[in-house]
Amino acid sequence: MTSLIPQEFFYHLGWRARGFHPGTHPTRTSGGNADFQSYVPFMENPNPRRIDLRATLRSVPRQLMSRSYHERSAVAVYAVLDLSESMHFSGNCNKFKLMTEIVTSAAWSAVRNGDSFGLVACDNAVRFDLFEAPAYRPGLAEEIRAKLLISQQLGNSIDKTIQPLTATALPLAAQLLRQKRSLVFLISDFHLPDALISQTLSSLMPHDVIPLVLWDSSEYSNIPDWGWARVRDMEGGGESSLFLRPGLVQKIKAAYAERRKNISALCLNAGVRAPFFIEDTFRAEQLTRHLLEAN
């Protein structure tokens, strides 16, 4: 298995971290020397190097003043994965491999930023064979990439002829996350019932959730206007024949456009960040722009 350097993206928190592991994110804990907090009496921060003469002269009553700063710390970054049947679809891209590329990129970016990275994957159940507790080790991204690709090669643990793979366990993923607020990338094609999406987003409310929506353009664009097509319901199972015609093709495209609006509305109602749609290929710079513009 070849080792590739993952794409790196950058993120910014709109909230103050709570942790003791040194990192790059502002906290509300006094200490450090990066984020100025306020001027305080010298006895509250008895560090001669931080005495401020101007603040001392302005103080009433007159007393020796020093500068106080906030610490900076690391946070836990997670990827929560939907491993339902539709996430194994392959058209203009292979969704599972695209998801693996994104997860590898997230792990690489988090560790390089001084944060820990963890992984929770779900289909009909939480996939403990793929679970990764948050860690800082340098080789984590490649380890996770190898684990996911091996999982794809071995196939799923559930016999799909008996029970199709769904994502009903997604709301349970929150139980495996740390209680402290974390940055969570929820990766799915969101071809899920609205109730399940809302339940999942609600379960992740204590965290900063970034929905990443993976779509394959062959699902809804470049569809022939005429002809027979064999279609398969990847979530519910079963196949059927469909006669394509211009009116039906337009309905399919309109349904995806409406679905895009609906997913955005569900995220807005849940109070999470706006979803980032990824079609066929992943570009880290576009995700960086999305994350930085959102704050």
Side-chain angles (χ1 to χ4, degrees):
M1 188 177 297
T2 58
S3 178
L4 301 174
I5 297 178
Q7 299 184 63
E8 183 177 4
F9 60 83
F10 303 93
Y11 50 89
H12 172 73
L13 303 183
W15 41 279
R16 290 190 175 271
R18 294 171 55 196
F20 300 101
H21 195 284
T24 61
H25 306 290
T27 71
R28 296 191 182 278
T29 305
S30 297
N33 57 9
D35 299 313
F36 177 73
Q37 178 182 5
S38 63
Y39 296 106
V40 298
F42 177 74
M43 294 309 296
E44 292 184 16
N45 186 26
N47 187 338
R49 292 177 298 177
R50 293 183 179 173
I51 293 175
D52 192 291
L53 295 179
R54 291 185 179 180
T56 298
L57 294 174
R58 291 196 302 267
S59 63
V60 179
R62 188 67 54 82
Q63 58 183 321
L64 195 60
M65 303 292 287
S66 65
R67 296 182 297 274
S68 177
Y69 293 85
H70 286 301
E71 289 275 10
R72 284 181 171 252
S73 74
V75 299
V77 179
Y78 286 92
V80 174
L81 309 185
D82 164 15
L83 295 186
S84 61
E85 195 66 34
S86 63
M87 287 297 291
H88 296 267
F89 176 79
S90 183
N92 289 334
C93 73
N94 182 302
K95 278 189 189 177
F96 195 97
K97 289 184 178 179
L98 178 60
M99 176 184 65
T100 299
E101 179 185 356
I102 295 168
V103 174
T104 305
S105 176
W108 174 264
S109 302
V111 173
R112 282 177 62 85
N113 194 49
D115 295 324
S116 61
F117 184 82
L119 176 70
V120 183
C122 302
D123 45 38
N124 302 58
V126 176
R127 293 287 299 274
F128 287 100
D129 58 316
L130 296 176
F131 174 74
E132 282 285 346
Y136 298 90
R137 58 184 182 274
L140 181 62
E142 184 58 31
E143 292 174 20
I144 290 176
R145 175 179 177 271
K147 181 183 288 191
L148 287 172
L149 291 179
I150 291 172
S151 171
Q152 184 189 30
Q153 293 171 2
L154 294 177
N156 299 293
S157 58
I158 298 176
D159 186 350
K160 291 175 283 186
T161 62
I162 299 175
Q163 184 180 17
L165 290 178
T166 65
T168 51
L170 273 178
L172 302 178
Q175 300 177 9
L176 287 99
L177 307 186
R178 291 181 176 176
Q179 292 185 348
K180 288 183 180 179
R181 193 175 192 189
S182 305
L183 185 64
V184 178
F185 291 95
L186 177 59
I187 307 177
S188 168
D189 56 12
F190 284 75
H191 293 338
L192 306 170
D194 287 357
L196 178 57
I197 295 174
S198 296
Q199 186 181 1
T200 301
L201 294 175
S202 178
S203 70
L204 295 170
M205 278 185 64
H207 305 284
D208 186 359
V209 181
I210 302 170
L212 302 183
V213 185
L214 275 56
W215 279 359
D216 189 314
S217 61
S218 65
E219 295 175 308
Y220 58 93
S221 65
N222 299 323
I223 304 175
D225 288 336
W226 296 97
W228 285 99
R230 192 71 176 168
V231 296
R232 179 172 173 234
D233 182 357
M234 297 195 71
E235 295 292 344
E239 295 185 359
S240 60
S241 296
L242 189 67
F243 182 70
L244 298 174
R245 51 199 182 278
L248 179 58
V249 171
Q250 287 302 316
K251 285 183 179 180
I252 294 173
K253 293 180 178 180
Y256 267 84
E258 186 62 28
R259 184 59 179 164
R260 186 183 184 109
K261 294 179 183 178
N262 190 45
I263 293 171
S264 297
L266 289 171
C267 293
L268 179 63
N269 292 338
V272 305
R273 299 200 201 192
F276 181 67
F277 288 82
I278 301 171
E279 182 181 294
D280 295 344
T281 58
F282 170 63
R283 294 183 176 84
E285 64 275 9
Q286 293 180 354
L287 179 55
T288 295
R289 189 178 307 115
H290 174 81
L291 297 177
L292 297 184
E293 287 177 352
N295 287 281

